[in-house]
Amino acid sequence: MTSKEKKKEESIARIMKGLECSRKEAEAIWTEDDRIDHMKDSEVTADLTKEQKEVAKKMRGTGTRKAPTVYDFKTRERKSNPTKAGIIAELANFLSEKSEYAVEDLEITNKERMVAFRIGEERFEVTLTQKRKPKK
């Protein structure tokens, strides 16, 4: 028994069990399914003329095509936040000029977010976070 015949027998057994029908009915169902799967003429389309088959084929088409997806990989321009930039600048100014600690290597690593510096052997970063307005 070839693998195709084995698959056919398994399918027929599954149809008989699932539909609770006789072997003859299951074989008829399998034959019709096989015709449809392999695009062969079925009993319904066998008596149609060539023109009628062309019309039937045309009517089966949905007429829609999925347009290809176009991705936009442009990075969004961030809005500047002058308030945060000013606070970071003031923090950097305070740390460099008015701090009681010996601040070294002061650097604004992100003009609206972060200041990095060193005191002795230790490294520090100050990160500014602006919270959103609460939802009502």
Side-chain angles (χ1 to χ4, degrees):
M1 181 179 275
T2 65
S3 66
K4 186 175 180 181
E5 291 170 345
K6 188 176 180 181
K7 287 182 183 178
K8 178 181 177 181
E9 289 301 319
E10 289 173 358
S11 295
I12 290 173
R14 186 174 41 83
I15 292 169
M16 286 171 56
K17 182 180 178 185
L19 299 178
E20 298 176 0
C21 61
S22 68
R23 180 168 181 83
K24 187 175 181 181
E25 292 171 323
E27 286 177 351
I29 292 169
W30 183 87
T31 304
E32 187 63 25
D33 286 348
D34 188 55
R35 279 191 198 143
I36 292 169
D37 289 346
H38 294 95
M39 301 283 208
K40 297 176 185 172
D41 284 338
S42 66
E43 294 174 8
V44 175
T45 59
D47 57 344
L48 296 178
T49 64
K50 184 177 179 182
E51 292 81 21
Q52 289 173 329
K53 287 181 182 179
E54 289 175 8
V55 170
K57 182 178 179 181
K58 185 178 179 183
M59 291 298 143
R60 284 192 304 263
T62 60
T64 59
R65 291 187 185 181
K66 184 177 179 201
T69 305
V70 179
Y71 295 101
D72 186 17
F73 290 110
K74 296 176 187 171
T75 55
R76 179 176 66 92
E77 179 97 15
R78 287 182 39 85
K79 294 180 185 176
S80 64
N81 190 334
T83 305
K84 285 178 71 175
I87 293 171
I88 290 293
E90 285 183 26
L91 280 172
N93 184 34
F94 172 79
L95 288 170
S96 64
E97 296 176 7
K98 299 179 183 173
S99 175
E100 294 179 9
Y101 296 98
V103 175
E104 302 170 353
D105 299 334
L106 179 73
E107 177 184 6
I108 298 176
T109 54
N110 184 327
K111 69 178 184 175
E112 294 180 5
R113 189 165 198 276
M114 194 179 304
V115 176
F117 56 94
R118 189 169 54 91
I119 298 176
E121 296 296 318
E122 302 295 323
R123 295 201 45 79
F124 297 92
E125 286 182 346
V126 176
T127 304
L128 179 64
T129 306
Q130 181 178 1
K131 299 296 182 184
R132 292 183 180 182
K133 296 175 184 173
K135 293 182 179 180
K136 295 181 181 183

